[in-house]
Amino acid sequence: MGPAWIMAVRHGESESNLAYREAGATPLVYERGDDEVTLTELGRTQAAALGRLLAALPRDEAPELVWCSPYLRALDTWKLAHETWGVDPLPVTVDERLRDQEAGEFARYNLAAIAERFPGELARREAEGAYAYRPPRGESLADVVARLRDFRRDLDGRADGRRVLIVAHDSVVLGLRHVIAGGPDAELAAVLDFAPVLNASVSVWRTGGTGFELVRFNDVAHLTS
């Protein structure tokens, strides 16, 4: 039996999110590894707001199992949310398949830096489309979806009718939207219409009929309430 519902959350604002936003159109080479980046003070505040959202849920609506990306910013988001929530520890599975989309050789560059140093690659990205483009030694969004399909099969076997919280990344939440909907890969590009997935946003699917029904997507109302 699969999960009763799935709540997918993007991590709170990270140090690299802030650095890239402040750089804007200025080329940036960010030196820290993608898996090492933790939360900004705003990101910690967002994680605490997620915890308050979970605490406000009725007992029979709260998550029972947690799956988390192995990257530090996702782990820290769950840790702070759980501390704010104040409940006993939940079963947590750290799953490599929930890591962020791998940028390969361009992991430390923003788009302006890629355009400056590797203009041919940026042209290839524009020609192939953002969902299909695979940077050198990196992943396309289609690659992320492939590992999420494998994750979803395992989740169906392990959730056993319980409510599942997933704490991960924007590419994972977008990919899950496509995987849970069950659409063909030919329609994958359409999922980019729902980007960007915002920091600490919440997306929820509930079982209904023969599959899952999307209840809300990319919701950040809890961050301003």
Side-chain angles (χ1 to χ4, degrees):
M1 178 183 293
W5 60 246
I6 296 171
M7 176 185 288
V9 176
R10 185 187 178 193
H11 60 81
E13 183 189 67
S14 70
E15 294 166 330
S16 58
N17 291 153
L18 177 60
Y20 278 72
R21 186 173 70 251
E22 289 180 340
T26 302
L28 172 69
V29 180
Y30 190 77
E31 293 302 329
R32 297 186 67 183
D34 198 28
D35 59 338
E36 303 171 329
V37 176
T38 188
L39 302 177
T40 63
E41 191 59 38
L42 174 59
R44 294 174 64 85
T45 299
Q46 292 170 334
L50 172 64
R52 290 191 292 274
L53 170 67
L54 297 174
L57 294 174
R59 181 181 294 271
D60 62 356
E61 289 288 316
E64 299 170 280
L65 302 173
V66 179
W67 262 263
C68 194
S69 161
Y71 287 6
L72 186 59
R73 57 191 181 275
L75 294 168
D76 284 348
T77 297
W78 165 242
K79 178 183 177 182
L80 289 166
H82 181 253
E83 289 174 354
T84 304
W85 185 4
V87 297
D88 293 336
L90 298 182
V92 178
T93 301
V94 178
D95 197 310
E96 285 283 344
R97 292 169 295 184
L98 297 177
R99 68 189 184 277
D100 204 358
Q101 182 176 348
E102 294 182 353
E105 295 178 10
F106 299 152
R108 302 179 190 276
Y109 302 109
N110 66 357
L111 282 179
I114 295 172
E116 180 181 72
R117 299 176 183 222
F118 312 98
E121 281 295 323
L122 191 63
R124 183 166 73 88
R125 181 181 186 272
E126 293 174 353
E128 294 180 1
Y131 78 97
Y133 172 74
R134 182 185 294 119
R137 302 177 65 183
E139 292 182 304
S140 66
L141 183 58
D143 294 327
V144 175
V145 164
R147 56 175 154 93
L148 289 175
R149 284 202 177 98
D150 184 62
F151 165 77
R152 172 70 196 282
R153 285 190 292 269
D154 284 353
L155 185 64
D156 283 349
R158 295 177 59 187
D160 196 24
R162 288 173 288 185
R163 299 176 295 275
V164 171
L165 171 65
I166 296 170
V167 185
H169 308 275
D170 52 351
S171 63
V172 171
V173 178
L174 280 175
L176 283 172
R177 181 180 178 118
H178 181 75
V179 168
I180 292 173
D185 281 348
E187 299 176 0
L188 177 55
V191 80
L192 294 176
D193 291 342
F194 301 99
V197 175
L198 302 175
N199 288 119
S201 63
V202 170
S203 301
V204 177
W205 294 262
R206 295 183 185 273
T207 53
T210 58
F212 278 86
E213 175 188 358
L214 181 62
V215 178
R216 52 180 166 152
F217 190 80
N218 207 12
D219 187 352
V220 291
H222 59 290
L223 301 182
T224 56
S225 61

